[in-house]
Amino acid sequence: MSAVEAEGCLPYEPDARPTQTRLDSAPAAAMLVVRGLSVRYGTTRAVLDLSLDVAAGEAVALLGPNGAGKTSTLHAISGLIGHGGTVAFDGRDLTGHAPEAIARLGLIHVPEGRRVFPTLTVRENLAMGRIAAAGRTGWTEADVLDLFPALGPLLGRAGYALSGGEQQMVALGRALLSVPRLLVLDEPSLGLAPAVVRTVYDALARIAADVPMLVVEQNTAEALRLCVRGHVLAAGRLALTGTAAELGDRDSLLASYLGRRDAAA
Ligand code: ATP
């Protein structure tokens, strides 16, 4: 059974014209190239004809309201669900690759909700990241503790006893020990207190200096402070794309969230 069938999803051939306001051509050094991506769950079309790129050295935001298709996009990129269109990483077509194989290539997914192993300690959770490192070296446990000093005293604590913020630090630390070549992050601020969101985003800014990333967020302000540019999804379609400054303009963002081009007028 294919991954598509296993997930109950079918590749979807888009039958309508794209509605994005502007789509830049692929940057010369694009590491992640997504073209014509579509995801569907039964009769629900979650993502339609989405194209985006992440270049070496850049952080890119993927924004949009609830149900816009952001998580589905990340799941498709990481091989967790079947999709139409193509996803290429570092020039390699990922079609047919299992999620584990994609992770071993260095495309590391930090899922929504963290998914920390509840019965493993913090140290053991972090070490799980090494499985996907596939011989790459770079990030160490010491680097993670330098980034998140709060984890130092918690190394022996079980995952179930961690706060949401501590779990997010562990999830990011685990991803770093996979020595990512590109990170895809699903709502890293979800459910966290404002001060913890700041800690997490300060760390992401340091990580982004070394690792390109695609960041899905509801917290547009934090995402646009971190990222150089971004895309806004609405009802599965790319509604708006631009620099962080362009997307920071509240009217155009509101317009794309509402799916109305005239809302900014
Ligand atoms: P949120 O921010 O609320 O997580 P999102 O932008 O990440 O939203 P998705 O979770 O990708 O959006 O969902 C896109 C659409 O696909 C929604 O209509 C959602 O209800 C639907 N959907 C997502 N997962 C499934 C699934 N496993 N089965 C059926 N429909 C799904």
Side-chain angles (χ1 to χ4, degrees):
M1 184 186 293
S2 71
V4 170
E5 291 163 327
E7 289 291 334
C9 310
L10 295 170
Y12 167 66
E13 290 304 321
D15 58 6
R17 65 289 138 217
T19 56
Q20 71 264 26
T21 304
R22 177 164 62 81
L23 176 63
D24 294 333
S25 57
M31 287 194 77
L32 179 70
V33 178
V34 175
R35 290 290 177 269
L37 187 79
S38 57
V39 175
R40 120 177 173 184
Y41 306 97
T43 56
T44 303
R45 293 170 176 182
V47 182
L48 299 94
D49 196 25
L50 173 64
S51 296
L52 58 81
D53 309 290
V54 180
E58 76 174 351
V60 176
L62 186 59
L63 309 172
N66 284 335
K70 305 180 300 296
T71 292
S72 298
T73 298
L74 292 197
H75 283 185
I77 289 170
S78 301
L80 295 167
I81 56 174
H83 62 84
T86 59
V87 177
F89 178 53
D90 213 13
R92 185 192 302 245
D93 184 353
L94 297 184
T95 305
H97 282 54
E100 300 78 15
I102 292 173
R104 281 197 300 274
L105 292 173
L107 198 167
I108 304 297
H109 186 147
V110 182
E112 184 178 321
R114 281 78 80 167
R115 311 242 177 98
V116 166
F117 296 100
T119 59
L120 300 186
T121 65
V122 166
R123 173 164 266 151
E124 290 165 343
N125 265 285
L126 293 174
M128 293 299 281
R130 295 208 187 93
I131 294 170
R136 291 183 303 278
T137 56
W139 293 86
T140 64
E141 183 188 277
D143 294 329
V144 171
L145 296 181
D146 180 53
L147 201 58
F148 298 117
L151 292 182
L154 303 178
L155 284 173
R157 186 169 295 182
Y160 69 79
L162 301 174
S163 69
E166 291 161 354
Q167 287 180 31
Q168 187 63 69
M169 293 179 210
V170 170
L172 287 170
R174 183 176 60 196
L176 292 175
L177 289 181
S178 300
V179 192
R181 301 185 57 243
L182 181 124
L183 278 171
V184 295
L185 304 161
D186 199 349
E187 300 212 31
S189 74
L190 186 71
L192 304 183
V196 184
V197 170
R198 195 91 290 283
T199 301
V200 166
Y201 266 84
D202 284 348
L204 288 178
R206 289 175 63 187
I207 295 167
D210 282 321
V211 186
M213 54 179 72
L214 178 64
V215 186
V216 157
E217 259 300 358
Q218 296 269 0
N219 188 333
T220 55
E222 287 293 351
L224 293 177
R225 251 194 294 276
L226 172 72
C227 296
V228 289
R229 61 192 181 89
H231 308 280
V232 181
L233 275 182
R237 292 184 185 277
L238 192 56
L240 185 68
T241 186
T243 65
E246 288 167 344
L247 294 180
D249 171 64
R250 287 171 57 88
D251 288 340
S252 58
L253 201 57
L254 180 66
S256 61
Y257 267 52
L258 295 175
R260 289 169 45 202
R261 293 190 176 194
D262 61 345

